[in-house]
Amino acid sequence: MACIFCKIASKEIPADILYEDELVVAFKDAKPIAPVHILVIPKEHIESVADLKDNHEVLAGRMIMVARRLAEELGISENGYKLLFRVRKYGGQEVPHIHLHLLGGARLSENIKPVE
Ligand code: AMP
Ligand code: ZN
């Protein structure tokens, strides 16, 4: 059974898609935590950054370049933004299909502390 982001990539379930090419899809996060909150995912099912292989170098680069271009197009580039990969359990990753968060449109707080 395909994972939820595989289903978004294959249009089995709807998402607000902003960009798509042969390798990646970018769509709005359903529960945004910033004025601009977009997820960039590969069409290929890869669980996390920790599961990338050497042959994924072009794909990983594409994800960053797409986020960069969307930031430019959405007018959040000059002030700046965050790019975030959560990785597995301690990184707080909830969806096990690698995704790059593009977060911006406001100054964002730092909140990276060990949980008690
Ligand atoms: P993470 O905690 O890094 O795994 O982030 C998963 C993100 O996916 C969260 O920000 C969710 O709001 C988002 N998300 C989960 N399901 C969907 C969906 N069907 N469409 C859009 N975003 C989603
Ligand atoms: Zn998947």
Side-chain angles (χ1 to χ4, degrees), residues 19-90:
Y19 175 83
E20 178 174 7
D21 63 26
E22 80 284 10
L23 291 178
V24 305
V25 178
F27 55 95
K28 290 188 183 171
D29 195 291
K31 290 183 186 164
I33 58 167
V36 173
H37 188 174
I38 292 161
L39 302 173
V40 184
I41 65 167
K43 290 184 169 175
E44 178 184 348
H45 181 83
I46 301 163
E47 291 215 350
S48 76
V49 167
D51 300 292
L52 288 169
K53 309 283 183 253
D54 286 348
N55 67 336
H56 290 131
E57 210 166 301
V58 169
L59 178 60
R62 180 71 62 85
M63 291 172 76
I64 294 171
M65 295 306 276
V66 165
R68 175 201 166 278
R69 192 158 70 240
L70 284 170
E72 192 80 42
E73 287 172 8
L74 294 168
I76 61 167
S77 188
E78 196 177 333
N79 283 330
Y81 51 88
K82 282 195 195 200
L83 295 181
L84 172 67
F85 281 110
R86 296 196 173 102
V87 182
R88 296 181 173 168
K89 188 172 160 188
Y90 275 20

Side-chain angles (χ1 to χ4, degrees), residues 3 5-6 45 97:
C3 88
F5 285 180
C6 282
H45 181 83
H97 179 129

